[in-house]
Amino acid sequence: MYSSDSQSTDFLKIKHAIRHFNTPEGSVVKALDDINLSIGRNEFITLLGPSGCGKTTLLNIIAGFERLDSGKILLDNDSLLEQPPHHRPVNTVFQSYALFPHLSVGDNVGYGLDVAGVAKKERNQRVSAALDMVGLSGVEKRRPSQLSGGQQQRVALARAIVNRPKILLLDEPLSALDKNLRMKMQLELKNLQSELGICFIFVTHDQEEALTMSDRIVVLNGGKVEQVGTPDEIYHTPASLFVSEFIGESNIFCGEVIQTNDDGCLIDSQGIAVYSHDGNLSVGQDVTLLLRPEHFRLVSDNAPADNSKQQISATLQQSVFIGRDHQLNCTLDNGTEITALIRGSLPDLKSGDRILLEYDIQSVHTIPQGRG
């Protein structure tokens, strides 16, 4: 678990990073638009965002495969930008694995050590230790084509860690794996990072992957940082409408604050009253409210009143069973469509039924409009 008390974020600093690309049409795209970021020495940090948001560009700049137009990248307060890629204490694991098909597994893993002129005895010891760390002891003599996709991924990891880098960069390395293997490798990668005690910078567009593996997540959009935070912060307290819609499922209510008190405020959302515990809002202010589907509970019409909770009537459009949960797609009286995720058994419901949903007022997250 990442702790700001035990891990300084001054290890890798990215300051005012800007990178432009010229398009064939003659326009200019800002792949990185004034990125500022500090990363800890032993941190597992994930760069998350849609295609074209700048995450791979930033990874390639740290590795030295791309250049910055302006800005700084400091590692332990020393600039990385003047160092060529092969001199940086950084290794990259690519999506395609990039293994040499004509070399054995052992020679693939030891290739960097051979180039560095490491003595044969030490080289073999380090190759053996790296393969053991990724659970592939005894396969040194096999060729990559004799391994499964998951095993090839482990070989790529062993090759990346055998040189003892300070930073390991991972560019969507699990995207080619099937779901079950991918989930297994997520946990193995997290355990490996903890065992090595080095910085992992992981690129993905998969939200669940980022939430599962990361100490902190950097959400990128259009070359800008939308939010940096722990998985819990990113999911439960998104800083912008983009983050709230990109991470997980969201029910969005837009409205105006019509009443405030010490306990929170009342928002009118197209005729639907929504309560929030946020006491920092003022009457007349436009806000966006976020409620996750799992924050709802299905209740009976005669459920007792509770000041900490609010009830809201809806018309059921569709009920879908997804594993342990039922996904209820509903419409409120003002036409707003919402989704509720209800765990456990349900009464016999059909499309068109009126239902009553309840949520804890503390679960409502408010985003002042304009932070999109």
Side-chain angles (χ1 to χ4, degrees), residues 56-274:
T56 296
T57 298
L58 182 56
L59 203 76
N60 287 336
I61 286 172
I62 296 171
F65 304 143
E66 290 277 354
R67 62 173 179 81
L68 277 181
D69 293 320
S70 64
K72 296 179 180 180
I73 298 183
L74 305 175
L75 182 64
D76 279 332
N77 290 320
D78 293 326
S79 177
L80 274 183
L81 299 181
E82 289 73 28
Q83 300 180 33
H86 60 285
H87 285 168
R88 298 186 184 191
V90 174
N91 274 351
T92 304
V93 178
F94 298 99
Q95 181 178 345
S96 62
Y97 312 151
L99 300 177
F100 298 115
H102 62 289
L103 296 182
S104 67
V105 167
D107 287 341
N108 263 284
V109 175
Y111 180 79
L113 300 177
D114 295 335
V115 172
V118 175
K120 185 175 181 180
K121 182 178 179 180
E122 180 185 352
R123 179 257 196 205
N124 291 342
Q125 288 175 340
R126 287 170 63 175
V127 167
S128 179
L131 286 171
D132 182 59
M133 190 168 286
V134 299
L136 284 180
S137 294
V139 303
E140 288 89 341
K141 294 183 179 180
R142 295 188 192 178
R143 295 289 176 89
S145 61
Q146 297 174 303
L147 303 178
S148 67
Q151 289 173 321
Q152 290 181 41
Q153 178 63 80
R154 289 185 175 90
V155 173
L157 282 168
R159 183 180 61 186
I161 65 177
V162 76
N163 283 334
R164 300 168 182 169
K166 292 183 178 180
I167 301 174
L168 189 63
L169 307 175
L170 303 108
D171 189 5
E172 301 200 52
L174 308 182
S175 60
L177 305 180
D178 63 66
K179 182 178 180 180
N180 289 339
L181 181 56
R182 185 170 184 162
M183 294 174 65
K184 181 180 179 182
M185 286 297 298
Q186 287 172 7
L187 297 177
E188 290 186 6
L189 267 180
K190 183 59 182 171
N191 290 335
L192 178 63
Q193 186 267 338
S194 179
E195 185 176 350
L196 290 171
I198 65 172
C199 175
F200 276 31
I201 303 178
F202 187 88
V203 161
T204 185
H205 61 266
D206 187 301
Q207 309 155 19
E208 291 185 12
E209 197 164 76
L211 293 170
T212 298
M213 302 172 67
S214 313
D215 293 323
R216 286 190 302 154
I217 298 171
V218 181
V219 183
L220 294 166
N221 178 34
K224 291 181 177 290
V225 174
E226 288 275 343
Q227 186 174 0
V228 181
T230 65
D232 185 82
E233 290 168 343
I234 295 292
Y235 185 81
H236 290 293
T237 56
S240 67
L241 183 58
F242 172 83
V243 177
S244 70
E245 293 180 322
F246 187 76
I247 305 293
E249 294 290 329
S250 302
N251 292 298
I252 303 295
F253 300 87
C254 296
E256 179 185 341
V257 179
I258 59 175
Q259 182 180 323
T260 63
N261 56 42
D262 293 339
D263 298 323
C265 62
L266 172 65
I267 291 96
D268 174 37
S269 178
Q270 294 179 297
I272 298 292
V274 184

